[in-house]
Amino acid sequence: MKRIITFGTFDVLHIGHVRILQRAKQLGTHLTVGVSTDALNWSKKQKKTVYSQYDRLEIVKAISGVDQVFFENSLEEKGRYIVDYKADILVMGDDWAGRFDEFKSLCEVVYLPRTEGISTTQLLEEIRAIAS
Ligand code: CTP
């Protein structure tokens, strides 16, 4: 039994999101996902989400391989989430490479490569271009 934890906004779900969750799950047997609240997303990206935190939580929960979801309220509480959800491995996309090494005293920390050529921001720009 190996428990994985990962975090993200997961707004306007795309293939990069699905792949990171599936690759994270392959590292263990149980996957918990912390979905950033709307307020946290605003504080870290200064962006409004398209989908509410409730819809994003429900969508992520529906992805095969995801066993448990919760709201991530604060970046400062990552250590507490790792302990509370009994995570053996913290998985993050390599856009965060090195930034969570402080948690190596609590669990293994793995950065997975992002899927090239897609992001929610990019997708929204493409949708705007198509719609205009
Ligand atoms: N992710 C990924 N490949 C992508 C986009 C995201 O592996 N092409 C991963 C991120 O590294 C993170 C998780 O998916 O671990 C959630 O990322 P999130 O910030 O919600 O997605 P982005 O598409 O990067 O969103 P934005 O454009 O708003 O920054």
Side-chain angles (χ1 to χ4, degrees):
M1 180 91 180
K2 211 164 217 187
R3 296 174 66 92
I4 315 296
I5 194 165
T6 192
F7 297 87
T9 305
F10 301 100
D11 191 27
V12 188
L13 201 82
H14 58 67
I15 192 68
H17 294 145
V18 172
R19 284 186 186 153
I20 200 153
L21 293 174
Q22 291 181 340
R23 284 183 295 153
K25 180 62 182 276
Q26 283 165 9
L27 298 175
T29 50
H30 184 277
L31 175 61
T32 301
V33 184
V35 175
S36 303
T37 59
D38 296 340
L40 174 58
N41 188 63
W42 178 260
S43 75
K44 69 179 178 180
K45 297 187 180 177
Q46 283 74 53
K47 280 183 203 160
K48 279 178 121 173
T49 56
V50 175
Y51 297 143
S52 75
Q53 60 192 47
Y54 306 102
D55 286 0
R56 290 185 286 107
L57 189 89
E58 199 175 323
I59 289 166
V60 171
K61 195 174 170 206
I63 295 174
S64 122
V66 174
D67 299 294
Q68 187 176 22
V69 290
F70 69 95
F71 284 126
E72 180 192 23
N73 286 297
S74 159
L75 293 179
E76 276 71 55
E77 289 187 79
K78 276 224 169 38
R80 186 175 67 76
Y81 297 135
I82 289 168
V83 172
D84 285 358
Y85 290 96
K86 300 181 171 51
D88 300 297
I89 309 180
L90 167 64
V91 172
M92 298 298 299
D94 63 2
D95 45 329
W96 295 93
R99 288 164 68 187
F100 292 97
D101 288 357
E102 64 186 283
F103 300 115
K104 284 183 176 170
S105 57
L106 296 176
C107 66
E108 196 181 327
V109 179
V110 173
Y111 302 98
L112 292 178
R114 283 168 67 91
T115 300
E116 302 259 323
I118 191 156
S119 70
T120 298
T121 306
Q122 204 176 320
L123 205 50
L124 291 179
E125 279 165 19
E126 285 168 26
I127 292 168
R128 265 185 221 110
I130 290 168
S132 65

